[in-house]
Amino acid sequence: MKNDSLDPLIRDAYAIAAQPERLMKLLTVLQKPGAENEDALQSHFANVTQLLTEIDPSVGDDFSTYAPDTEGANDGLTPVDLSLSRSMTILRIDKQIFKASDLDQEQAIPDWLLGVDGETQAQIDKLIEGKNPSPAIVRLYMDQDDDRGILFAAQISGGDQKNLDFRTIRLRWDTLIGSAFAQSLELTATEEQLAEHLVNGLSVIEFAALRGRALGTARNQLKALLRKLGIGSQTDLIALYAGFSNAFAAAESRDQDPAFIGSSHKLTLADGSDLPFEIYGDANARPVLYLHATIDGAYLTARQQDAAAAQNLRIIAPWLPFYAGSKMSNTGLAVVDEFVERLIYLLDQLGIKQCSIISARVAAPYGMAAIQSHPDRFCGLVMAGTILPADDANDFSHLAMGYRAPLRLARIAPSFVRLYFAAAATMVRRGKSMAYFKSIYGESAADMVTLNRPDVAELMQRSMQRTFEDGYESTAQQAILTASDWSKWCHDLKVPVTVICGAEDRLAPPAMVEKFCDRHGFHLIGPLENVGSLAIQQVPQKIFEEAAKIRPN
């Protein structure tokens, strides 16, 4: 990049101070091939970060406006997959979802799209006439031979024109919530299994085949279930479960038993600095060290705590370097070894001779370094999603934009990484977080749904207050570490490593994770369907179950 071409970048960088959401525009520019000399922008990035702090001095103080979907339905986390005019003409269509059909814009929809039973058509008519609450859950079919269909949320848009927008529903049956749902509504075991089957998008025909029953029997069971619940259709059942799921998660985050919420602690080290950490669970349960991801922090939702308690585990969750006000002597890869020694000191002070480790995403290098250097203290590692070591040939092209540009720049312009997280924090505080989250998780429907869960939103709000308590060094360190080749800690391991991988993980694509595990002899679980980068929030039962299998020597 020529020096005179830096002027627009400088202008765009300073514009972030007034409008933090313009960070996304700058990211787009900086990720393009040829942007080689961003180191010339170092001082400008530092200046903008300082300006952001002066303009918005509430670093770590107020994330009460955190809500991924505050920017409205049309710009929500889930994009419109199909839009129809009132005359049922296609205005917009996602070719990936409808790839089995020949549907296109300005085309009238075929009869098979809405199904032959008339249920979807009736729902749409009520929406248009204003007789049905918006959004409604409907089933659309992908071609004339499709007898299963896909669930969509249908919503009116376009003012007086009353266009119909359809968004795919990625709702899945959750074991904990599903059990509470069945218990509350007094469902039999068969009815609970049928409800789970339908919520997961499968058909009555498949349910009958799975159980080895006649189709007529399964249909009668469905009629009995709907009659018991006082509803008239399968989509009503989906809506009922979705509403129960949201209410359950909200109550979970709001009305937890105070005795079950984790307790915060701070360990003073020999050099006078502090190691903050959280503890969850019964003091007599088996200890497990949990190393957190960037935006999750060391906090656990009630759902995660229940999953750990079900395995009789006590979770020790130290905050990573520079989080929650902690200080470190080093930066980059050198921080990892320094932090591992702090973990050993923590175990000594808690009287823990040996335990296993769970790492989430970007915490992978810390977990790997710990088991390599101290196999006598750590008996195994479960990685709930992982970053991958970045060698010199890695251009991060496999990552979403929100990761790709910051990581590449972390090597040559660390001050930009601080600017990136300063702007992102300001966006979140101002209720403008959607562009930031979409840049990272937008390609994973599973992750976007998870970010909208009330318990996850509440956890991330609390976490960001602690994360940015003293500035942006913690997230800058994570970006620098993620952009580094930390494979040296993957060799000569004497304890087992299990990697849990999601099929929708855009931080570590499944094909690359499989090669990583094959190269180092790690046990791979997955890729798990409907699981993305946020596996620690999506399948905590599986993760803590795997950790419980690792027994101290």
Side-chain angles (χ1 to χ4, degrees), residues 373-419:
S373 58
H374 295 281
D376 57 322
R377 305 301 299 270
F378 301 110
C379 50
L381 171 65
V382 175
M383 301 165 77
T386 180
I387 59 171
L388 299 171
D391 58 32
D392 291 338
N394 193 335
D395 63 359
F396 308 112
S397 59
H398 62 285
L399 298 175
M401 184 189 73
Y403 280 119
R404 185 164 59 243
L407 293 189
R408 191 174 65 80
L409 287 164
R411 291 179 165 181
I412 57 177
S415 62
F416 173 78
V417 180
R418 293 173 181 83
L419 167 60

Side-chain angles (χ1 to χ4, degrees), residues 119 123 137 226 230-242:
E119 182 182 336
Q123 295 266 55
I137 297 176
L226 299 181
I231 56 180
S233 68
Q234 295 181 42
T235 51
D236 286 344
L237 171 64
I238 305 297
L240 181 63
Y241 176 80

Side-chain angles (χ1 to χ4, degrees), residues 80-328:
V80 174
D81 299 308
L82 176 69
S83 185
L84 303 178
S85 69
R86 189 169 184 174
S87 62
M88 299 293 108
T89 297
I90 298 173
L91 303 175
R92 176 182 174 184
I93 186 168
D94 186 317
K95 292 288 191 176
Q96 279 298 111
I97 294 176
F98 294 91
K99 59 186 176 182
S101 69
D102 294 324
L103 299 181
D104 211 340
Q105 290 182 352
E106 301 182 2
Q107 175 185 342
I109 64 169
D111 293 338
W112 50 257
L113 181 71
L114 304 184
V116 297
D117 59 6
E119 182 182 336
T120 297
Q121 183 66 63
Q123 295 266 55
I124 289 175
D125 290 343
K126 289 179 181 179
L127 272 177
I128 293 175
E129 295 166 8
K131 296 179 181 179
N132 214 20
S134 181
I137 297 176
V138 301
R139 191 180 295 273
L140 300 181
Y141 297 84
M142 300 301 102
D143 58 50
Q144 55 189 348
D145 297 320
D146 181 11
D147 61 357
R148 176 191 293 180
I150 295 178
L151 293 173
F152 289 79
Q155 189 170 18
I156 294 293
S157 68
D160 294 337
Q161 298 299 318
K162 290 189 175 179
N163 297 334
L164 279 164
D165 290 340
F166 297 84
R167 295 174 171 86
T168 52
I169 292 177
R170 304 287 180 167
L171 183 67
R172 288 295 181 269
W173 185 271
D174 178 274
T175 303
L176 179 64
I177 295 177
S179 177
F181 178 78
Q183 184 175 358
S184 298
L185 299 175
E186 299 181 347
L187 303 186
T188 66
T190 298
E191 289 170 340
E192 180 179 353
Q193 291 170 6
L194 176 55
E196 177 181 354
H197 205 76
L198 297 174
V199 165
N200 285 337
L202 303 177
S203 67
V204 178
I205 296 174
E206 291 168 314
F207 181 72
L210 182 67
R211 294 175 60 84
R213 299 287 188 270
L215 177 58
T217 300
R219 283 176 172 163
N220 287 334
Q221 290 170 332
L222 173 62
K223 290 177 183 177
L225 173 61
L226 299 181
R227 189 164 51 248
K228 174 183 282 190
L229 298 178
I231 56 180
S233 68
Q234 295 181 42
T235 51
D236 286 344
L237 171 64
I238 305 297
L240 181 63
Y241 176 80
F244 184 93
S245 178
N246 285 337
F248 185 92
E252 200 176 46
S253 63
R254 185 178 60 250
D255 299 325
Q256 300 176 57
D257 179 359
F260 192 60
I261 296 175
S263 54
S264 296
H265 303 267
K266 190 176 288 187
L267 177 65
T268 301
L269 306 170
D271 62 1
S273 61
D274 294 321
L275 174 61
F277 62 99
E278 313 294 321
I279 295 183
Y280 303 88
D282 192 316
N284 296 317
R286 187 149 56 91
V288 170
L289 201 67
Y290 170 56
L291 305 179
H292 63 82
T294 302
I295 58 175
D296 306 59
Y299 295 126
L300 298 182
T301 64
R303 185 179 304 189
Q304 291 170 311
Q305 294 177 49
D306 284 343
Q311 301 297 330
N312 193 34
L313 299 178
R314 183 188 188 208
I315 306 302
I316 315 297
W319 289 85
L320 293 184
F322 304 108
Y323 283 77
S326 64
K327 307 296 182 185
M328 305 294 290

Side-chain angles (χ1 to χ4, degrees), residues 397-474:
S397 59
H398 62 285
L399 298 175
M401 184 189 73
Y403 280 119
R404 185 164 59 243
L407 293 189
R408 191 174 65 80
L409 287 164
R411 291 179 165 181
I412 57 177
S415 62
F416 173 78
V417 180
R418 293 173 181 83
L419 167 60
Y420 173 78
F421 287 108
T426 304
M427 289 165 63
V428 171
R429 275 194 293 272
R430 296 180 184 178
K432 297 289 184 180
S433 58
M434 198 258 288
Y436 169 63
F437 284 114
K438 282 190 72 173
S439 74
I440 298 176
Y441 300 106
E443 297 177 14
S444 170
D447 286 339
M448 298 305 264
V449 169
T450 300
L451 287 169
N452 265 331
R453 272 176 34 197
D455 59 333
V456 174
E458 189 272 341
L459 175 139
M460 290 183 178
Q461 177 185 319
R462 293 174 61 216
S463 170
M464 283 187 281
Q465 284 185 271
R466 294 294 299 278
T467 297
F468 299 114
E469 190 172 300
D470 257 0
Y472 308 106
E473 195 62 36
S474 57

Side-chain angles (χ1 to χ4, degrees), residues 501-506 508-515 524 527:
C501 172
E504 296 184 31
D505 194 335
R506 298 299 180 264
M512 297 181 69
V513 174
E514 185 174 359
K515 291 180 181 178
L524 174 63

Side-chain angles (χ1 to χ4, degrees), residues 475-527:
T475 42
Q477 162 65 20
Q478 291 301 84
I480 293 169
L481 184 59
T482 305
S484 304
D485 182 4
W486 49 271
S487 59
K488 65 178 183 178
W489 291 305
C490 300
H491 305 292
D492 304 320
L493 301 178
K494 297 180 175 61
V495 299
V497 175
T498 296
V499 179
I500 295 176
C501 172
E504 296 184 31
D505 194 335
R506 298 299 180 264
L507 178 57
M512 297 181 69
V513 174
E514 185 174 359
K515 291 180 181 178
F516 172 68
C517 291
D518 287 345
R519 184 182 306 122
H520 298 291
F522 301 154
H523 175 52
L524 174 63
I525 296 178

